[in-house]
Amino acid sequence: MSQQFSLFARMGKDLPLSILHELTCELKVSRVMTTEITTLPSTASMQEVKELLRSHRISGIPIVDEETLVGVVSVEDLILALEQHALDTPVSRFMTPQVLTAHPEEPVFEALKQLERQGIGRLLVLDEDGKLAGILTKGDIMLGLLGALQQAYDRVERLGRERQPRYFFEALVSDETSLILSYHVRPNDFTQGGRASAQVKKALLQIGATPQLSRRVAIAAYEAEINLIIHTDDGGHIVVKIQPEKITVVAHDTGPGIANVELARQPGYTTASETAREMGFGAGMGLTNIERCTDEMHIWSAIGSGTRIEMIFYVPPEESA
Amino acid sequence: MKVKEIIEAIAGEILVPPAVDIEVDRAFAADLMSDILAFAQPQMLMITGMTNLQAVRTAEMSDMPVILFARGKRPPAALLELAQEIGIGILLSPYTMYETSGLLYQAGLPGMGKLPTVQQQ
């Protein structure tokens, strides 16, 4: 029920009117009718009617003789039989022989109008061959409409989600999906520092990565970006490869290279210039921070040829759809 | 602690209002961006005297919603523009970093608590 209430709460606001219109006009009787039908032959007694109504908690029973609908008996008919102390008489005496019927392909809207007009509780649904295919009550119509509305709402929500993915890489599917983002970082350009990493973070959030994962990648990429600005002769590149199960960030440059990688990884070790320190960097914490944010970090470096830092982040399984 | 309470505690000024009506649950004060990046958390207030663009970038990367500049150092217009664009709040305190932090701590905004020592090279 709560799902239905919340559906009503949301309905007016963001369910397009066209969908409501489509539902009431196009929902077919066959989609909402009850197909598990309990029937009795016209020779059955009103006593049997009473027991069946009570045990099945229904309000009417179709009377069928040799697969042909001959009438319907309701609670009102039973009350009449009780008043006359005639429970042992056959159904045929109390049933209504003129039965109002509907067609399975008829719109629910038409059936509802008929129910309203005739002031009756149920319509019997007959197929092409005139055989009983189902029963339709106002309750069936209400539940059917709610179900169809829920489906319609889910459809609207799904469409919305495709525009704004809920899971990582939800909107992009292939046998081997990967997305490459590439950035050029200029040396000594502190005003542009962080531009690449900010764009990486934005892209990750856009394709559905969680804020936590996007943040870890952004912080590591940012430290690497700042390193390129501070330390390189000719700048470098940041290349981000995004795959459904992992994100790989590579920062590479052409020099000068790190003399002692092990030493450079120690917290507080720095060779940064005064300018870098004035900007709030160069305190020897960059690689330490990168290592803390990544699942794996690999550094290759050689004096004169450059440095390559590879940062790997695994996407937690619950984040990929 | 809400932005309004921060401003009251330090007799401060709002230079760029935060994107949404945010609340911070702790603060970190440093001029070293790498130190801030090492300890940053969402919902954390950054207190710094470093008034360059990297302060805003640092907050952006680490989801810090507000930066408070200490010692009355009014940041350049380019910084305010970037903060506005990203949606990071910028506040200004007339007190030094020490006193700004002290006043906020006194008003009930906690820090990181006791930390382990780390040997530096």
Side-chain angles (χ1 to χ4, degrees):
Chain A
M1 268 320 267
S2 64
Q3 199 183 17
Q4 287 165 4
F5 278 129
S6 68
L7 174 70
F8 275 129
R10 299 180 302 189
M11 237 170 65
K13 262 185 269 162
D14 43 21
L15 196 67
L17 265 176
S18 60
I19 289 180
L20 278 173
H21 186 254
E22 182 188 324
L23 280 181
T24 45
C25 293
E26 292 189 12
L27 192 63
K28 300 284 195 288
V29 165
S30 59
R31 267 186 65 190
V32 305
M33 67 187 186
T34 303
T35 49
E36 280 171 36
I37 323 161
T38 309
T39 65
L40 281 175
S42 61
T43 51
S45 69
M46 287 307 284
Q47 179 68 37
E48 285 173 74
V49 169
K50 188 183 102 181
E51 274 150 27
L52 208 56
L53 289 179
R54 191 166 55 192
S55 64
H56 284 63
R57 308 186 75 174
I58 50 179
S59 58
I61 303 164
I63 306 304
V64 176
D65 284 337
E66 285 161 14
E67 291 190 36
T68 304
L69 182 70
V70 294
V72 65
V73 67
S74 67
V75 174
E76 289 79 23
D77 301 324
L78 177 66
I79 291 169
L80 201 62
L82 281 167
E83 279 174 353
Q84 297 178 9
H85 303 285
L87 284 185
D88 51 349
T89 53
V91 174
S92 51
R93 207 183 116 195
F94 289 95
M95 72 181 190
T96 311
Q98 275 93 39
V99 182
L100 289 164
T101 62
H103 191 270
E105 292 311 300
E106 193 176 306
V108 163
F109 187 61
E110 289 301 318
L112 192 60
K113 275 203 298 198
Q114 200 183 343
L115 283 171
E116 279 298 311
R117 212 166 36 230
Q118 308 293 336
I120 49 171
R122 71 198 59 74
L123 289 173
L124 295 175
V125 185
L126 299 182
D127 64 16
E128 300 294 334
D129 305 325
K131 280 197 187 125
L132 188 61
I135 297 187
L136 184 72
T137 64
K138 283 184 194 168
D140 293 329
I141 295 178
M142 198 178 84
L143 285 177
L145 271 173
L146 281 176
L149 264 177
Q150 183 67 55
Q151 278 178 13
Y153 190 83
D154 289 347
R155 200 168 67 220
V156 170
E157 221 171 34
R158 201 167 53 243
L159 285 173
R161 206 164 60 231
E162 274 158 22
R163 285 189 290 268
Q164 191 68 55
R166 186 180 293 174
Y167 300 109
F168 190 53
F169 256 121
E170 189 184 42
L172 302 171
V173 180
S174 80
D175 290 341
E176 231 180 277
T177 310
S178 74
L179 189 66
I180 309 269
L181 306 174
S182 193
Y183 303 90
H184 178 57
V185 181
R186 288 196 300 257
N188 277 311
D189 189 358
F190 281 96
T191 57
Q192 289 295 307
R195 180 193 61 95
S197 308
Q199 286 174 3
V200 170
K201 186 181 184 191
K202 213 172 281 176
L204 286 173
L205 289 169
Q206 253 165 17
I207 59 171
T210 58
Q212 293 81 356
L213 179 65
S214 311
R215 189 168 166 272
R216 278 170 56 210
V217 177
I219 291 177
Y222 182 45
E223 289 282 11
E225 189 179 350
I226 293 293
N227 276 348
L228 293 177
I229 295 171
I230 295 175
H231 296 289
T232 58
D233 304 327
D234 300 313
H237 286 89
I238 291 180
V239 180
V240 184
K241 184 178 182 185
I242 308 167
Q243 292 164 285
E245 67 288 345
K246 71 171 180 180
I247 299 162
T248 312
V249 181
V250 173
H252 62 92
D253 61 70
T254 51
I258 303 170
N260 185 337
V261 171
E262 275 318 302
L263 197 57
R265 288 174 88 139
Q266 301 295 315
Y269 179 82
T270 182
T271 57
S273 67
E274 199 52 44
T275 324
R277 288 161 189 264
E278 276 165 21
M279 299 305 286
F281 288 94
M285 290 303 290
L287 290 178
T288 310
N289 272 354
I290 291 176
E291 197 153 22
R292 189 179 50 82
C293 289
T294 52
D295 291 313
E296 280 179 42
M297 177 179 86
H298 308 286
I299 308 180
W300 294 271
S301 190
I303 292 288
S305 54
T307 303
R308 178 190 160 92
I309 303 181
E310 187 181 73
M311 299 159 257
I312 298 174
F313 308 82
Y314 294 106
V315 178
E318 65 273 16
E319 286 179 29
S320 38
Chain B
M1 185 178 277
K2 292 203 173 294
V3 169
K4 187 168 162 278
E5 296 169 281
I6 295 173
I7 291 302
E8 276 167 17
I10 56 165
E13 192 182 331
I14 300 180
L15 304 183
V16 176
V20 277
D21 185 26
I22 53 98
E23 202 164 346
V24 292
D25 58 13
R26 64 187 67 217
F28 190 91
D31 280 352
L32 274 178
M33 292 302 122
S34 287
D35 270 1
I36 296 171
L37 287 167
F39 290 101
Q41 296 168 7
Q43 306 295 297
M44 184 191 257
L45 172 70
M46 181 199 300
I47 305 170
T48 187
M50 193 62 77
T51 53
N52 61 52
L53 293 181
Q54 300 313 318
V56 178
R57 288 298 188 194
T58 297
E60 181 186 21
M61 299 311 159
S62 49
D63 295 331
M64 298 171 99
V66 189
I67 304 172
L68 171 55
F69 290 108
R71 197 170 47 81
K73 283 163 84 175
R74 193 178 287 274
L79 183 148
L80 299 181
E81 277 164 32
L82 184 64
Q84 179 98 47
E85 188 190 312
I86 299 168
I88 289 169
I90 304 289
L91 314 179
L92 182 62
S93 167
Y95 293 98
T96 64
M97 195 142 101
Y98 173 72
E99 285 167 294
T100 300
S101 304
L103 288 167
L104 289 174
Y105 193 80
Q106 203 167 40
L109 186 62
M112 295 300 299
K114 198 177 173 194
L115 298 169
T117 52
V118 182
Q119 180 62 52
Q120 302 290 294
Q121 290 300 313

